[in-house]
Each structure stands twice: as structure tokens, then as C-alpha cells.
Amino acid sequence: MQAPIVPTPAYIPYSDVLSLIRDILSTSITDHDSPVHKQVVRVRGWIRSVRAQQQVHFIALNDGSCFENLQLVLSHENNNASIDFLALKTGVAIEVEGKLHKSPGAKQHIELHVQVIHYLSPHDSEYPLQKKRHSFEMTRMIPHLRVRTNTFATITRIRSALYRSLNHYLHSQGYHWINVPAITTNDCEGAGDLFSVGFDINSSKRHFFGKPAYLSVSGQLNAESYACGMSRVYSFAPIFRADNSNTRKHLSEFWMLEPEGAWLSYHDCISLAENLIKYAVSTLLEHNHTDLELFDTYVHKGIIAELGYFVQTPFKRMEYTEVLKMLKGNENNKNKTHTMPPLEWGMDLATEHEKALMTHTNNVPVAIMNYPKEIKPFYMYHNDDERTVRGIDIIFPRVGELVGGSEREYRLKELRMALTEKKLREEELSWYVDLRRYGTVPHSGFGLGFERLIQFVTGMANIRDCIAFPRAPQEALC
Ligand code: 4AD
Ligand code: MG
């Protein structure tokens, strides 16, 4: 006879093992009166709030494993008189042991009746986070503590979940993760916004690496070398930009996901970006719904419905020239909703133009294709019209450009011409030019700004609140 299948409990209820609150709260209660499990459960976490009544203290305990707190019930009668009830303060770390019971309260289905409590940290009455809402500006000043607030713990879980699903999707499509160097000797984007490194302070003439070196503004050029050998690769790494953009969507250090594929066209790139982002957002809607509800309630009302609409609706694709015509038409419209800076063919879109474009499409993302070559870097494939390149930017509601990419110039002669036009020295990029000599094939890729994706899914207004320790001009706390 086959052994019966015993369902594994969601948490391990042995008193010598710690349980996560996430696992405890997913336990179902069948028997109303008796403890859920006979065994004692042990949990550690940080006190979020304390409510004292005559015979009992209620504590909301959080360990970061999920949005919800575990309700602890400390009955004065059952507990040792030596418990220092005055030390039960927001922010204090404790370990508790006790049994789980069905909760009579409406807010939770389960609660822990505490038998033993240990203080794991001393308490300080000056703890800056209390049981009230703090402004994002205030918590930005304490990046080392803000993860103990609901919003930042939730952003952290969302960030981690997105990281996992983006990686998962690319692996499922045959993309290999590769590492790209953080220290480079090239300026991929040619925008000149580089942080210098390796300057030997003992000698003003010597560079540590033998030549000027910088923190990377993009892993693309290195990823291209691996795509032309592994077919499908991607990097996911920190990126550094020294431009002095003090806006709500620019960071000096951010994470960029950069897929690169041999034999991909720029149209394939748009499809890959669309499928990848929609997969990540729908996975989030499915598995992190409670986390998203916080943003729907307190940060951006209706965000869950917006994300649902987003995953259902195909992206639009428009030529740069077509977008320009549309925006210029809008300029002359008496009922226009945005005042926009002037826009002529050959200029890049400003934030106001991106907003007007999103109004035009009713917030459906637009992949803009084929930009004037003057406003794009040297490496983009040159069209036959000799004035545009196969660059793509994907514009999203609220965050603007979330994805920037292109089909790459894989032809030796055209690449050399582009380097000359942009006044770049071939010797500096000889290895990159080499890739066009040996086994060169059409290939494309893009960069996705990870923090802008987090901004898009949470509705957070400022990108500084979408990364743990933000770096921006004049800002590098911790
Ligand atoms: O458009 P960008 O500059 O593209 C590149 O660097 C290409 N080499 C990528 C590639 O093709 N592999 O940057 C890509 C994305 C932008 O669309 C934006 O989402 C994000 O990176 N980004 C920033 N995010 C935060 N702060 C900044 N300062 C950013 N600059 C770009
Ligand atoms: Mg760009």
C-alpha cells in the first residue's frame, strides 16, 4: 500500500526553528477553539506598534517577509511578571514563542499567544520612525532605516520580485546572463557624462589602467561582443552617469537590464521588451497583489487597474517623424493639454512632449523608431535615407523613456564612417571595430532602466525612492 501523502505545513512549527511571518499567515485555521498547532512557534522581528489594554498588550510584529504584521497577544496574567512592558516600543527587535490561535479580531485571521519574549535589541526612545505616516522627503534622509516602513519594505519586495521575473523570462527565451565590467575605457553613449576612476593620486601623469578609465554608462558594447558568439545574452548591472540631471527620474547610479541578440531586428527588440515587461508586470499582479494594494491606496489610486490595462494592451509603434507631426499638430490645437517647448525635426523629445504623446495614445506605451542620426550615438544602424538610424525609445506613462535601444551598425565601412562623423578615434574602439571584421552579423539590443520600471509599477513620484541608497547630484548618504 502506498503511504498517504502528508501535506507539508507551510511553516516548520518546531520551537527550535524560526518561522517567517509570511508562512505563518498563510496557514489556514480549521479548528476554531484549539491552538492551530500543538507545537510552539518561534518568531523574530521588529515591533511596528503596541496597543496596551488593561489585561493584555497587542503587538504588531513585522519581519519583512510579507506586507502584513503578525498580531502578538501578551496576556498580563499568563506572562512572567519580569517582562518589561515599558520596553515594548516601536522599532525594538524581539523574539517570541507561543501558540497560534484563530483571532477574534477582524483585521487578522490568526494571532500568536505569547508565552516567552526575549528582547533582541535595546530600545531607544528617540527612534525616528513612529506609528504614523512619514513623508518620503523625511525618510530619504534616513535611508538606513526607511526599509522598516511599510512603503520601503514593499518597494524592496517588489524590486526583488521584478528582478526575479525579468531574469526568469530572459532565461526562458534562451538568453544567457553575462557580466560586463563596471570599469571601462570607452564612453558608449558618447554623452560625456562619465565618472573618472583609476587616476593615480601619487603621480598626476599616470593612470592606474594605463589610460583614462571610467565607471560604465552602459554594458552594451561588451554585451555585443558576447551576442556575436553566444547569440542571446543580457547583462543586469549598476550603471553610472555623471550628468547633472536633478530630476525625479534620473539617478547617478542605477541598474540597467541590457539584452543583446544576434539576428534580432529593431522590431524584434520592441517585441522582446514588450513581452518581457508584460511578463514581469503580470507576475507581479499575480504574486504581489497585497504589496501593490499599498500603492493603490496611498500612492497612486487605481494603479492596479492601470497595470491590468497595460498587460492587456499592445504597444504602439510610431516613426520619429510621425510622432513629430502629431505633436506639432497638437501645438496648433486650441484645446491642447500641455504647453510644450518648440520641436523641430532633428530635436529630441522633452518630458512635456512625452506627456503629450501619452495623452494622445491614452497612456499606451509607444515605441518610437528611426531617429535623426545627429541625436543618437555612433553605434546605431544607418538607414538608406542617410539621415536616420534604427534607434528605438519606448515611452511609458508617468516615467517617460523606460527603454532605449537599437539595431547595431554591424557593417565595417558604415561603422567607420559613423566614428568619423562623431569625431571618435577608431584606435580607442579598435576591439569593437574588430567585431565587424570577424563573423559580423546583424544584431540588436536595448537598455531598460530598472528603477524607472519600479516607478512605473508602484506610481512612486521620485526615482530616489525606488533604490535602496540613492545617488544623485549632491546626494550620497550611507
Ligand atoms: O537610453 P539609454 O541611455 O541607452 C543606453 O545606454 C544603451 N546603450 C542601452 C542599450 O542599448 N543596451 O539608457 C537606457 C535606459 C533609459 O531608457 C532609461 O530607462 C534608463 O536606462 N536611464 C536612467 N535611469 C535612471 N537614471 C538615469 N540617469 C538614466 N539614464 C538612463
Ligand atoms: Mg535613451
Side-chain angles (χ1 to χ4, degrees):
M1 221 174 73
Q2 255 191 335
I5 297 170
V6 181
T8 316
Y11 69 97
I12 308 165
Y14 302 115
S15 59
D16 55 347
V17 176
L18 288 178
S19 297
L20 288 177
I21 292 176
R22 175 195 70 172
D23 297 337
I24 290 176
L25 293 183
S26 64
T27 314
S28 67
I29 302 242
T30 44
D31 186 343
H32 286 207
D33 299 320
S34 63
V36 181
H37 288 276
K38 292 207 172 66
Q39 293 93 335
V40 165
V41 173
R42 183 190 285 183
V43 196
R44 288 180 181 176
W46 293 266
I47 296 177
R48 276 290 167 83
S49 65
V50 182
R51 193 157 48 88
Q53 288 187 354
Q54 255 186 355
Q55 291 306 317
V56 69
H57 266 67
F58 293 104
I59 298 171
L61 190 74
N62 193 283
D63 66 356
S65 62
C66 62
F67 179 78
E68 292 89 354
N69 302 319
L70 175 64
Q71 167 144 293
L72 308 180
V73 182
L74 258 107
S75 131
H76 300 178
E77 217 172 89
N78 296 347
N79 279 288
N80 189 322
S82 65
I83 289 182
D84 180 4
F85 284 98
L86 285 178
L88 292 172
K89 299 265 188 215
T90 300
V92 171
I94 55 171
E95 176 184 294
V96 286
E97 283 177 26
K99 290 188 179 170
L100 296 172
H101 289 254
K102 181 179 167 62
S103 174
K107 286 194 182 154
Q108 62 281 316
H109 74 297
I110 205 165
E111 60 190 23
L112 189 103
H113 291 193
V114 176
Q115 295 165 346
V116 182
I117 178 166
H118 298 291
Y119 290 93
L120 302 179
S121 73
H123 89 272
D124 184 340
S125 55
E126 312 248 307
Y127 183 61
L129 296 167
Q130 292 306 319
K131 198 198 165 207
K132 62 171 191 168
R133 287 188 73 191
H134 300 279
S135 75
F136 295 137
E137 287 75 19
M138 181 271 180
T139 48
R140 217 173 287 146
M141 301 310 290
I142 45 167
H144 56 304
L145 293 175
R146 67 179 178 170
V147 74
R148 299 191 208 170
T149 65
N150 273 339
T151 310
F152 287 95
T154 306
I155 290 173
T156 307
R157 276 189 300 274
I158 285 183
R159 190 178 166 102
S160 168
L162 283 174
Y163 182 82
R164 193 166 83 156
S165 55
L166 292 169
N167 281 287
H168 181 262
Y169 184 80
L170 287 170
H171 280 275
S172 77
Q173 302 299 305
Y175 283 79
H176 304 284
W177 172 79
I178 58 161
N179 71 289
V180 287
I183 299 173
T184 70
T185 52
N186 64 65
D187 174 8
C188 172
E189 293 304 290
D193 46 1
L194 302 151
F195 287 107
S196 295
V197 289
F199 207 76
D200 192 334
I201 45 167
N202 298 319
S203 152
S204 58
K205 291 199 190 84
R206 254 182 28 155
H207 287 283
F208 188 90
F209 299 103
K211 54 179 170 176
Y214 316 97
L215 293 179
S216 179
V217 295
S218 165
Q220 175 199 321
L221 305 188
N222 300 79
E224 279 186 58
S225 103
Y226 266 61
C228 297
M230 300 289 289
S231 294
R232 295 180 177 191
V233 298
Y234 72 99
S235 73
F236 201 167
I239 288 300
F240 308 90
R241 299 213 173 160
D243 51 332
N244 202 10
S245 304
N246 226 326
T247 79
R248 53 170 205 89
K249 56 180 191 175
H250 285 89
L251 288 165
S252 309
E253 177 180 329
F254 62 98
W255 280 64
M256 207 199 280
L257 174 66
E258 297 187 85
E260 191 73 32
W263 300 290
L264 289 195
S265 71
Y266 65 115
H267 274 286
D268 297 328
C269 258
I270 300 170
S271 305
L272 175 64
E274 177 168 357
N275 294 337
L276 171 71
I277 300 169
K278 284 184 172 172
Y279 173 81
V281 172
S282 50
T283 309
L284 205 61
L285 283 167
E286 194 181 335
H287 296 292
N288 293 70
H289 210 273
T290 319
D291 287 327
L292 288 173
E293 278 164 18
L294 173 125
F295 298 99
D296 208 311
T297 313
Y298 297 110
V299 175
H300 183 97
K301 292 223 175 341
I303 189 115
I304 292 180
E306 269 181 37
L307 295 178
Y309 169 71
F310 165 81
V311 289
Q312 299 295 329
T313 319
F315 288 12
K316 289 198 187 310
R317 299 179 191 215
M318 289 172 85
E319 296 285 324
Y320 166 87
T321 306
E322 200 188 334
V323 171
L324 221 74
K325 264 194 210 136
M326 189 282 293
L327 290 172
K328 287 192 80 65
N330 215 27
E331 247 173 36
N332 304 327
N333 179 352
K334 286 203 187 78
N335 304 323
K336 66 184 171 197
T337 44
H338 300 280
T339 43
M340 291 184 289
L343 187 61
E344 297 302 333
W345 201 94
M347 291 165 94
D348 220 345
L349 303 194
T351 300
E352 289 308 316
H353 302 123
E354 294 175 346
K355 280 187 190 163
L357 180 61
M358 288 298 99
T359 306
H360 176 76
T361 64
N362 204 10
N363 286 329
V364 174
V366 180
I368 308 178
M369 311 172 292
N370 295 315
Y371 278 82
K373 63 179 179 179
E374 285 76 17
I375 53 170
K376 289 293 179 192
F378 72 96
Y379 53 71
M380 295 192 179
Y381 184 96
H382 290 67
N383 285 317
D384 291 343
D385 64 9
E386 294 190 349
R387 48 184 223 148
T388 60
V389 286
R390 292 188 183 163
I392 48 167
D393 280 356
I394 310 185
I395 312 300
F396 270 60
R398 294 182 275 106
V399 296
E401 183 199 323
L402 177 63
V403 169
S406 73
E407 206 163 304
R408 315 306 188 192
E409 186 52 88
Y410 70 97
R411 302 163 300 181
L412 182 60
K413 191 169 122 238
E414 284 75 4
L415 179 67
R416 281 188 154 149
M417 274 164 46
L419 287 170
T420 310
E421 268 181 36
K422 298 275 182 193
K423 298 195 171 46
L424 295 167
R425 291 182 14 180
E426 192 176 322
E427 306 86 81
E428 303 282 323
L429 281 163
S430 58
W431 66 272
Y432 185 75
V433 177
D434 249 10
L435 296 172
R436 276 66 185 161
R437 279 207 191 91
Y438 312 119
T440 186
V441 294
H443 59 284
S444 301
F446 62 83
L448 177 155
F450 191 38
E451 287 74 17
R452 288 196 190 168
L453 177 62
I454 297 167
Q455 256 188 301
F456 171 66
V457 300
T458 56
M460 292 295 287
N462 197 317
I463 199 166
R464 289 167 177 76
D465 299 327
C466 296
I467 188 165
F469 300 101
R471 270 85 180 98
Q474 303 302 312
E475 192 177 334
L477 293 171
C478 299

